[in-house]
PDB file of all heavy atoms in Angstrom:
ATOM      1  N   THR A   1       2.116 -53.139   7.770  1.00  0.00           N
ATOM      2  CA  THR A   1       3.388 -53.615   7.230  1.00  0.00           C
ATOM      3  C   THR A   1       3.284 -53.917   5.746  1.00  0.00           C
ATOM      4  O   THR A   1       4.163 -53.540   4.966  1.00  0.00           O
ATOM      5  CB  THR A   1       3.865 -54.884   7.977  1.00  0.00           C
ATOM      6  OG1 THR A   1       3.733 -54.698   9.385  1.00  0.00           O
ATOM      7  CG2 THR A   1       5.319 -55.182   7.631  1.00  0.00           C
ATOM      8  N   LEU A   2       2.220 -54.587   5.349  1.00  0.00           N
ATOM      9  CA  LEU A   2       2.076 -55.006   3.955  1.00  0.00           C
ATOM     10  C   LEU A   2       0.922 -54.290   3.253  1.00  0.00           C
ATOM     11  O   LEU A   2       0.456 -54.752   2.206  1.00  0.00           O
ATOM     12  CB  LEU A   2       1.853 -56.526   3.892  1.00  0.00           C
ATOM     13  CG  LEU A   2       2.969 -57.392   4.485  1.00  0.00           C
ATOM     14  CD1 LEU A   2       2.557 -58.855   4.486  1.00  0.00           C
ATOM     15  CD2 LEU A   2       4.263 -57.215   3.707  1.00  0.00           C
ATOM     16  N   ILE A   3       0.491 -53.171   3.796  1.00  0.00           N
ATOM     17  CA  ILE A   3      -0.697 -52.511   3.263  1.00  0.00           C
ATOM     18  C   ILE A   3      -0.510 -52.068   1.817  1.00  0.00           C
ATOM     19  O   ILE A   3      -1.433 -52.149   1.002  1.00  0.00           O
ATOM     20  CB  ILE A   3      -1.073 -51.306   4.160  1.00  0.00           C
ATOM     21  CG1 ILE A   3      -2.456 -50.783   3.805  1.00  0.00           C
ATOM     22  CG2 ILE A   3      -0.026 -50.212   4.094  1.00  0.00           C
ATOM     23  CD1 ILE A   3      -3.578 -51.704   4.203  1.00  0.00           C
ATOM     24  N   ALA A   4       0.692 -51.622   1.470  1.00  0.00           N
ATOM     25  CA  ALA A   4       0.924 -51.137   0.102  1.00  0.00           C
ATOM     26  C   ALA A   4       0.901 -52.277  -0.909  1.00  0.00           C
ATOM     27  O   ALA A   4       0.631 -52.056  -2.090  1.00  0.00           O
ATOM     28  CB  ALA A   4       2.258 -50.389   0.019  1.00  0.00           C
ATOM     29  N   ARG A   5       1.175 -53.488  -0.463  1.00  0.00           N
ATOM     30  CA  ARG A   5       1.156 -54.635  -1.369  1.00  0.00           C
ATOM     31  C   ARG A   5      -0.236 -55.256  -1.444  1.00  0.00           C
ATOM     32  O   ARG A   5      -0.590 -55.876  -2.450  1.00  0.00           O
ATOM     33  CB  ARG A   5       2.163 -55.682  -0.910  1.00  0.00           C
ATOM     34  CG  ARG A   5       3.597 -55.168  -0.831  1.00  0.00           C
ATOM     35  CD  ARG A   5       4.580 -56.255  -0.481  1.00  0.00           C
ATOM     36  NE  ARG A   5       4.724 -57.220  -1.561  1.00  0.00           N
ATOM     37  CZ  ARG A   5       5.521 -58.284  -1.501  1.00  0.00           C
ATOM     38  NH1 ARG A   5       6.237 -58.521  -0.421  1.00  0.00           N
ATOM     39  NH2 ARG A   5       5.601 -59.108  -2.521  1.00  0.00           N
ATOM     40  N   SER A   6      -1.024 -55.098  -0.388  1.00  0.00           N
ATOM     41  CA  SER A   6      -2.325 -55.770  -0.333  1.00  0.00           C
ATOM     42  C   SER A   6      -3.453 -54.945  -0.937  1.00  0.00           C
ATOM     43  O   SER A   6      -4.526 -55.481  -1.201  1.00  0.00           O
ATOM     44  CB  SER A   6      -2.671 -56.097   1.121  1.00  0.00           C
ATOM     45  OG  SER A   6      -2.862 -54.908   1.880  1.00  0.00           O
ATOM     46  N   ARG A   7      -3.240 -53.661  -1.165  1.00  0.00           N
ATOM     47  CA  ARG A   7      -4.316 -52.792  -1.624  1.00  0.00           C
ATOM     48  C   ARG A   7      -4.335 -52.576  -3.140  1.00  0.00           C
ATOM     49  O   ARG A   7      -5.083 -51.724  -3.628  1.00  0.00           O
ATOM     50  CB  ARG A   7      -4.214 -51.433  -0.931  1.00  0.00           C
ATOM     51  CG  ARG A   7      -4.607 -51.475   0.540  1.00  0.00           C
ATOM     52  CD  ARG A   7      -6.077 -51.751   0.710  1.00  0.00           C
ATOM     53  NE  ARG A   7      -6.485 -51.752   2.109  1.00  0.00           N
ATOM     54  CZ  ARG A   7      -7.726 -51.884   2.528  1.00  0.00           C
ATOM     55  NH1 ARG A   7      -8.684 -52.048   1.625  1.00  0.00           N
ATOM     56  NH2 ARG A   7      -8.022 -51.879   3.799  1.00  0.00           N
ATOM     57  N   ALA A   8      -3.521 -53.294  -3.869  1.00  0.00           N
ATOM     58  CA  ALA A   8      -3.530 -53.151  -5.332  1.00  0.00           C
ATOM     59  C   ALA A   8      -4.884 -53.601  -5.882  1.00  0.00           C
ATOM     60  O   ALA A   8      -5.543 -54.487  -5.333  1.00  0.00           O
ATOM     61  CB  ALA A   8      -2.408 -53.980  -5.946  1.00  0.00           C
ATOM     62  N   GLY A   9      -5.310 -52.969  -6.957  1.00  0.00           N
ATOM     63  CA  GLY A   9      -6.590 -53.326  -7.562  1.00  0.00           C
ATOM     64  C   GLY A   9      -6.651 -52.875  -9.000  1.00  0.00           C
ATOM     65  O   GLY A   9      -5.636 -52.510  -9.598  1.00  0.00           O
ATOM     66  N   HIS A  10      -7.853 -52.873  -9.561  1.00  0.00           N
ATOM     67  CA  HIS A  10      -8.010 -52.498 -10.961  1.00  0.00           C
ATOM     68  C   HIS A  10      -7.618 -51.047 -11.208  1.00  0.00           C
ATOM     69  O   HIS A  10      -7.292 -50.669 -12.328  1.00  0.00           O
ATOM     70  CB  HIS A  10      -9.463 -52.724 -11.391  1.00  0.00           C
ATOM     71  CG  HIS A  10     -10.430 -51.780 -10.753  1.00  0.00           C
ATOM     72  ND1 HIS A  10     -10.921 -51.977  -9.475  1.00  0.00           N
ATOM     73  CD2 HIS A  10     -10.978 -50.614 -11.196  1.00  0.00           C
ATOM     74  CE1 HIS A  10     -11.733 -50.979  -9.169  1.00  0.00           C
ATOM     75  NE2 HIS A  10     -11.793 -50.142 -10.182  1.00  0.00           N
ATOM     76  N   GLY A  11      -7.636 -50.223 -10.155  1.00  0.00           N
ATOM     77  CA  GLY A  11      -7.314 -48.816 -10.319  1.00  0.00           C
ATOM     78  C   GLY A  11      -5.835 -48.503 -10.319  1.00  0.00           C
ATOM     79  O   GLY A  11      -5.438 -47.387 -10.643  1.00  0.00           O
ATOM     80  N   GLY A  12      -5.008 -49.479  -9.934  1.00  0.00           N
ATOM     81  CA  GLY A  12      -3.566 -49.246  -9.898  1.00  0.00           C
ATOM     82  C   GLY A  12      -2.917 -50.056  -8.790  1.00  0.00           C
ATOM     83  O   GLY A  12      -3.471 -51.042  -8.300  1.00  0.00           O
ATOM     84  N   THR A  13      -1.746 -49.629  -8.373  1.00  0.00           N
ATOM     85  CA  THR A  13      -1.014 -50.328  -7.324  1.00  0.00           C
ATOM     86  C   THR A  13      -1.573 -49.967  -5.957  1.00  0.00           C
ATOM     87  O   THR A  13      -2.348 -49.017  -5.805  1.00  0.00           O
ATOM     88  CB  THR A  13       0.477 -49.955  -7.372  1.00  0.00           C
ATOM     89  OG1 THR A  13       0.634 -48.561  -7.009  1.00  0.00           O
ATOM     90  CG2 THR A  13       1.062 -50.179  -8.758  1.00  0.00           C
ATOM     91  N   GLY A  14      -1.118 -50.715  -4.940  1.00  0.00           N
ATOM     92  CA  GLY A  14      -1.511 -50.383  -3.580  1.00  0.00           C
ATOM     93  C   GLY A  14      -1.020 -49.006  -3.173  1.00  0.00           C
ATOM     94  O   GLY A  14      -1.696 -48.277  -2.434  1.00  0.00           O
ATOM     95  N   ALA A  15       0.167 -48.627  -3.655  1.00  0.00           N
ATOM     96  CA  ALA A  15       0.696 -47.296  -3.369  1.00  0.00           C
ATOM     97  C   ALA A  15      -0.186 -46.215  -3.979  1.00  0.00           C
ATOM     98  O   ALA A  15      -0.430 -45.170  -3.362  1.00  0.00           O
ATOM     99  CB  ALA A  15       2.127 -47.179  -3.892  1.00  0.00           C
ATOM    100  N   ASP A  16      -0.699 -46.455  -5.191  1.00  0.00           N
ATOM    101  CA  ASP A  16      -1.602 -45.495  -5.840  1.00  0.00           C
ATOM    102  C   ASP A  16      -2.871 -45.315  -5.002  1.00  0.00           C
ATOM    103  O   ASP A  16      -3.357 -44.191  -4.819  1.00  0.00           O
ATOM    104  CB  ASP A  16      -1.981 -45.966  -7.244  1.00  0.00           C
ATOM    105  CG  ASP A  16      -0.791 -46.032  -8.182  1.00  0.00           C
ATOM    106  OD1 ASP A  16       0.219 -45.344  -7.914  1.00  0.00           O
ATOM    107  OD2 ASP A  16      -0.856 -46.785  -9.178  1.00  0.00           O
ATOM    108  N   TYR A  17      -3.402 -46.426  -4.499  1.00  0.00           N
ATOM    109  CA  TYR A  17      -4.607 -46.350  -3.679  1.00  0.00           C
ATOM    110  C   TYR A  17      -4.350 -45.541  -2.414  1.00  0.00           C
ATOM    111  O   TYR A  17      -5.133 -44.647  -2.050  1.00  0.00           O
ATOM    112  CB  TYR A  17      -5.091 -47.751  -3.309  1.00  0.00           C
ATOM    113  CG  TYR A  17      -6.145 -47.732  -2.225  1.00  0.00           C
ATOM    114  CD1 TYR A  17      -7.462 -47.399  -2.524  1.00  0.00           C
ATOM    115  CD2 TYR A  17      -5.810 -48.015  -0.905  1.00  0.00           C
ATOM    116  CE1 TYR A  17      -8.428 -47.342  -1.531  1.00  0.00           C
ATOM    117  CE2 TYR A  17      -6.768 -47.961   0.096  1.00  0.00           C
ATOM    118  CZ  TYR A  17      -8.066 -47.637  -0.215  1.00  0.00           C
ATOM    119  OH  TYR A  17      -9.010 -47.566   0.771  1.00  0.00           O
ATOM    120  N   LEU A  18      -3.250 -45.840  -1.716  1.00  0.00           N
ATOM    121  CA  LEU A  18      -2.949 -45.147  -0.466  1.00  0.00           C
ATOM    122  C   LEU A  18      -2.713 -43.661  -0.700  1.00  0.00           C
ATOM    123  O   LEU A  18      -3.131 -42.819   0.106  1.00  0.00           O
ATOM    124  CB  LEU A  18      -1.726 -45.785   0.200  1.00  0.00           C
ATOM    125  CG  LEU A  18      -1.907 -47.219   0.695  1.00  0.00           C
ATOM    126  CD1 LEU A  18      -0.569 -47.793   1.133  1.00  0.00           C
ATOM    127  CD2 LEU A  18      -2.911 -47.272   1.841  1.00  0.00           C
ATOM    128  N   TYR A  19      -2.027 -43.339  -1.787  1.00  0.00           N
ATOM    129  CA  TYR A  19      -1.747 -41.944  -2.128  1.00  0.00           C
ATOM    130  C   TYR A  19      -3.050 -41.187  -2.382  1.00  0.00           C
ATOM    131  O   TYR A  19      -3.219 -40.052  -1.936  1.00  0.00           O
ATOM    132  CB  TYR A  19      -0.855 -41.897  -3.365  1.00  0.00           C
ATOM    133  CG  TYR A  19      -0.410 -40.522  -3.791  1.00  0.00           C
ATOM    134  CD1 TYR A  19       0.401 -39.738  -2.969  1.00  0.00           C
ATOM    135  CD2 TYR A  19      -0.796 -40.003  -5.027  1.00  0.00           C
ATOM    136  CE1 TYR A  19       0.810 -38.475  -3.363  1.00  0.00           C
ATOM    137  CE2 TYR A  19      -0.381 -38.742  -5.434  1.00  0.00           C
ATOM    138  CZ  TYR A  19       0.422 -37.992  -4.601  1.00  0.00           C
ATOM    139  OH  TYR A  19       0.830 -36.737  -4.998  1.00  0.00           O
ATOM    140  N   THR A  20      -3.981 -41.829  -3.064  1.00  0.00           N
ATOM    141  CA  THR A  20      -5.285 -41.220  -3.319  1.00  0.00           C
ATOM    142  C   THR A  20      -6.101 -41.127  -2.037  1.00  0.00           C
ATOM    143  O   THR A  20      -6.707 -40.089  -1.736  1.00  0.00           O
ATOM    144  CB  THR A  20      -6.058 -42.033  -4.375  1.00  0.00           C
ATOM    145  OG1 THR A  20      -5.256 -42.167  -5.549  1.00  0.00           O
ATOM    146  CG2 THR A  20      -7.368 -41.368  -4.738  1.00  0.00           C
ATOM    147  N   PHE A  21      -6.098 -42.194  -1.267  1.00  0.00           N
ATOM    148  CA  PHE A  21      -6.874 -42.263  -0.026  1.00  0.00           C
ATOM    149  C   PHE A  21      -6.484 -41.154   0.950  1.00  0.00           C
ATOM    150  O   PHE A  21      -7.349 -40.467   1.511  1.00  0.00           O
ATOM    151  CB  PHE A  21      -6.658 -43.640   0.612  1.00  0.00           C
ATOM    152  CG  PHE A  21      -7.235 -43.784   1.992  1.00  0.00           C
ATOM    153  CD1 PHE A  21      -8.602 -43.882   2.187  1.00  0.00           C
ATOM    154  CD2 PHE A  21      -6.408 -43.837   3.110  1.00  0.00           C
ATOM    155  CE1 PHE A  21      -9.140 -44.029   3.453  1.00  0.00           C
ATOM    156  CE2 PHE A  21      -6.931 -43.980   4.382  1.00  0.00           C
ATOM    157  CZ  PHE A  21      -8.303 -44.066   4.552  1.00  0.00           C
ATOM    158  N   MET A  22      -5.188 -40.947   1.150  1.00  0.00           N
ATOM    159  CA  MET A  22      -4.730 -39.963   2.128  1.00  0.00           C
ATOM    160  C   MET A  22      -4.925 -38.519   1.656  1.00  0.00           C
ATOM    161  O   MET A  22      -4.716 -37.589   2.421  1.00  0.00           O
ATOM    162  CB  MET A  22      -3.255 -40.201   2.463  1.00  0.00           C
ATOM    163  CG  MET A  22      -2.980 -41.479   3.231  1.00  0.00           C
ATOM    164  SD  MET A  22      -3.929 -41.613   4.772  1.00  0.00           S
ATOM    165  CE  MET A  22      -3.375 -40.165   5.666  1.00  0.00           C
ATOM    166  N   ARG A  23      -5.361 -38.343   0.418  1.00  0.00           N
ATOM    167  CA  ARG A  23      -5.552 -36.994  -0.115  1.00  0.00           C
ATOM    168  C   ARG A  23      -7.012 -36.708  -0.461  1.00  0.00           C
ATOM    169  O   ARG A  23      -7.305 -35.687  -1.079  1.00  0.00           O
ATOM    170  CB  ARG A  23      -4.676 -36.816  -1.368  1.00  0.00           C
ATOM    171  CG  ARG A  23      -3.196 -36.841  -1.051  1.00  0.00           C
ATOM    172  CD  ARG A  23      -2.302 -37.063  -2.273  1.00  0.00           C
ATOM    173  NE  ARG A  23      -2.582 -36.147  -3.354  1.00  0.00           N
ATOM    174  CZ  ARG A  23      -3.197 -36.500  -4.492  1.00  0.00           C
ATOM    175  NH1 ARG A  23      -3.577 -37.768  -4.692  1.00  0.00           N
ATOM    176  NH2 ARG A  23      -3.397 -35.609  -5.431  1.00  0.00           N
ATOM    177  N   THR A  24      -7.929 -37.602  -0.054  1.00  0.00           N
ATOM    178  CA  THR A  24      -9.339 -37.401  -0.418  1.00  0.00           C
ATOM    179  C   THR A  24     -10.270 -37.448   0.790  1.00  0.00           C
ATOM    180  O   THR A  24     -11.436 -37.835   0.675  1.00  0.00           O
ATOM    181  CB  THR A  24      -9.787 -38.450  -1.466  1.00  0.00           C
ATOM    182  OG1 THR A  24      -9.503 -39.771  -0.974  1.00  0.00           O
ATOM    183  CG2 THR A  24      -9.077 -38.233  -2.785  1.00  0.00           C
ATOM    184  N   PHE A  25      -9.782 -37.051   1.959  1.00  0.00           N
ATOM    185  CA  PHE A  25     -10.657 -36.888   3.119  1.00  0.00           C
ATOM    186  C   PHE A  25     -11.405 -35.558   3.016  1.00  0.00           C
ATOM    187  O   PHE A  25     -10.895 -34.580   2.462  1.00  0.00           O
ATOM    188  CB  PHE A  25      -9.846 -36.892   4.414  1.00  0.00           C
ATOM    189  CG  PHE A  25      -9.504 -38.263   4.929  1.00  0.00           C
ATOM    190  CD1 PHE A  25      -8.287 -38.843   4.623  1.00  0.00           C
ATOM    191  CD2 PHE A  25     -10.389 -38.962   5.736  1.00  0.00           C
ATOM    192  CE1 PHE A  25      -7.959 -40.103   5.102  1.00  0.00           C
ATOM    193  CE2 PHE A  25     -10.078 -40.214   6.220  1.00  0.00           C
ATOM    194  CZ  PHE A  25      -8.854 -40.799   5.904  1.00  0.00           C
ATOM    195  N   TYR A  26     -12.610 -35.536   3.578  1.00  0.00           N
ATOM    196  CA  TYR A  26     -13.363 -34.293   3.643  1.00  0.00           C
ATOM    197  C   TYR A  26     -14.279 -34.336   4.876  1.00  0.00           C
ATOM    198  O   TYR A  26     -14.700 -35.413   5.312  1.00  0.00           O
ATOM    199  CB  TYR A  26     -14.189 -34.067   2.374  1.00  0.00           C
ATOM    200  CG  TYR A  26     -15.227 -35.122   2.086  1.00  0.00           C
ATOM    201  CD1 TYR A  26     -16.556 -34.971   2.502  1.00  0.00           C
ATOM    202  CD2 TYR A  26     -14.901 -36.280   1.382  1.00  0.00           C
ATOM    203  CE1 TYR A  26     -17.516 -35.920   2.238  1.00  0.00           C
ATOM    204  CE2 TYR A  26     -15.844 -37.250   1.116  1.00  0.00           C
ATOM    205  CZ  TYR A  26     -17.152 -37.062   1.541  1.00  0.00           C
ATOM    206  OH  TYR A  26     -18.103 -38.023   1.275  1.00  0.00           O
ATOM    207  N   PRO A  27     -14.585 -33.182   5.475  1.00  0.00           N
ATOM    208  CA  PRO A  27     -15.432 -33.166   6.677  1.00  0.00           C
ATOM    209  C   PRO A  27     -16.845 -33.649   6.374  1.00  0.00           C
ATOM    210  O   PRO A  27     -17.424 -33.322   5.340  1.00  0.00           O
ATOM    211  CB  PRO A  27     -15.439 -31.683   7.080  1.00  0.00           C
ATOM    212  CG  PRO A  27     -14.286 -31.068   6.378  1.00  0.00           C
ATOM    213  CD  PRO A  27     -14.107 -31.842   5.114  1.00  0.00           C
ATOM    214  N   ASP A  28     -17.383 -34.441   7.298  1.00  0.00           N
ATOM    215  CA  ASP A  28     -18.750 -34.942   7.161  1.00  0.00           C
ATOM    216  C   ASP A  28     -19.312 -35.124   8.567  1.00  0.00           C
ATOM    217  O   ASP A  28     -18.957 -36.069   9.274  1.00  0.00           O
ATOM    218  CB  ASP A  28     -18.769 -36.262   6.397  1.00  0.00           C
ATOM    219  CG  ASP A  28     -20.188 -36.739   6.086  1.00  0.00           C
ATOM    220  OD1 ASP A  28     -21.134 -36.255   6.742  1.00  0.00           O
ATOM    221  OD2 ASP A  28     -20.359 -37.588   5.202  1.00  0.00           O
ATOM    222  N   ALA A  29     -20.176 -34.213   8.961  1.00  0.00           N
ATOM    223  CA  ALA A  29     -20.702 -34.224  10.324  1.00  0.00           C
ATOM    224  C   ALA A  29     -21.567 -35.443  10.617  1.00  0.00           C
ATOM    225  O   ALA A  29     -21.811 -35.772  11.783  1.00  0.00           O
ATOM    226  CB  ALA A  29     -21.509 -32.945  10.577  1.00  0.00           C
ATOM    227  N   SER A  30     -22.036 -36.129   9.578  1.00  0.00           N
ATOM    228  CA  SER A  30     -22.891 -37.295   9.795  1.00  0.00           C
ATOM    229  C   SER A  30     -22.096 -38.541  10.200  1.00  0.00           C
ATOM    230  O   SER A  30     -22.677 -39.536  10.623  1.00  0.00           O
ATOM    231  CB  SER A  30     -23.700 -37.602   8.535  1.00  0.00           C
ATOM    232  OG  SER A  30     -22.853 -38.050   7.482  1.00  0.00           O
ATOM    233  N   LYS A  31     -20.774 -38.489  10.062  1.00  0.00           N
ATOM    234  CA  LYS A  31     -19.934 -39.633  10.397  1.00  0.00           C
ATOM    235  C   LYS A  31     -19.440 -39.521  11.838  1.00  0.00           C
ATOM    236  O   LYS A  31     -19.254 -38.419  12.361  1.00  0.00           O
ATOM    237  CB  LYS A  31     -18.736 -39.731   9.452  1.00  0.00           C
ATOM    238  CG  LYS A  31     -19.119 -39.789   7.978  1.00  0.00           C
ATOM    239  CD  LYS A  31     -19.992 -40.989   7.669  1.00  0.00           C
ATOM    240  CE  LYS A  31     -20.360 -41.043   6.187  1.00  0.00           C
ATOM    241  NZ  LYS A  31     -21.279 -42.149   5.884  1.00  0.00           N
ATOM    242  N   ALA A  32     -19.204 -40.664  12.461  1.00  0.00           N
ATOM    243  CA  ALA A  32     -18.781 -40.681  13.862  1.00  0.00           C
ATOM    244  C   ALA A  32     -17.460 -39.955  14.073  1.00  0.00           C
ATOM    245  O   ALA A  32     -17.244 -39.302  15.100  1.00  0.00           O
ATOM    246  CB  ALA A  32     -18.663 -42.126  14.341  1.00  0.00           C
ATOM    247  N   THR A  33     -16.568 -40.059  13.101  1.00  0.00           N
ATOM    248  CA  THR A  33     -15.259 -39.407  13.225  1.00  0.00           C
ATOM    249  C   THR A  33     -15.280 -37.965  12.740  1.00  0.00           C
ATOM    250  O   THR A  33     -14.320 -37.224  12.938  1.00  0.00           O
ATOM    251  CB  THR A  33     -14.198 -40.172  12.408  1.00  0.00           C
ATOM    252  OG1 THR A  33     -14.553 -40.141  11.017  1.00  0.00           O
ATOM    253  CG2 THR A  33     -14.090 -41.612  12.868  1.00  0.00           C
ATOM    254  N   GLY A  34     -16.379 -37.570  12.069  1.00  0.00           N
ATOM    255  CA  GLY A  34     -16.443 -36.233  11.492  1.00  0.00           C
ATOM    256  C   GLY A  34     -15.816 -36.130  10.120  1.00  0.00           C
ATOM    257  O   GLY A  34     -15.712 -35.040   9.559  1.00  0.00           O
ATOM    258  N   TRP A  35     -15.404 -37.282   9.551  1.00  0.00           N
ATOM    259  CA  TRP A  35     -14.716 -37.275   8.262  1.00  0.00           C
ATOM    260  C   TRP A  35     -15.244 -38.412   7.387  1.00  0.00           C
ATOM    261  O   TRP A  35     -15.676 -39.445   7.884  1.00  0.00           O
ATOM    262  CB  TRP A  35     -13.201 -37.461   8.436  1.00  0.00           C
ATOM    263  CG  TRP A  35     -12.531 -36.346   9.162  1.00  0.00           C
ATOM    264  CD1 TRP A  35     -12.311 -36.260  10.512  1.00  0.00           C
ATOM    265  CD2 TRP A  35     -12.010 -35.146   8.591  1.00  0.00           C
ATOM    266  NE1 TRP A  35     -11.683 -35.093  10.810  1.00  0.00           N
ATOM    267  CE2 TRP A  35     -11.483 -34.385   9.657  1.00  0.00           C
ATOM    268  CE3 TRP A  35     -11.943 -34.642   7.296  1.00  0.00           C
ATOM    269  CZ2 TRP A  35     -10.890 -33.142   9.451  1.00  0.00           C
ATOM    270  CZ3 TRP A  35     -11.349 -33.402   7.092  1.00  0.00           C
ATOM    271  CH2 TRP A  35     -10.838 -32.661   8.156  1.00  0.00           C
TER     272      TRP A  35
END
């Protein structure tokens, strides 16, 4: 509910973080989820 307001930091707003986060996944077989 409040994730966009709580994730703000030195890099920008919470929306900036979420926008970057959802566009920077990559496959990694060493991780439990594969990502």
Side-chain angles (χ1 to χ4, degrees):
T1 314
L2 300 174
I3 192 71
R5 301 185 69 181
S6 66
R7 288 292 182 176
H10 69 279
T13 67
D16 296 338
Y17 168 78
L18 294 171
Y19 184 64
T20 305
F21 172 73
M22 292 305 300
R23 293 164 52 253
T24 54
F25 278 95
Y26 61 94
D28 187 342
S30 68
K31 304 300 180 184
T33 62
W35 295 91

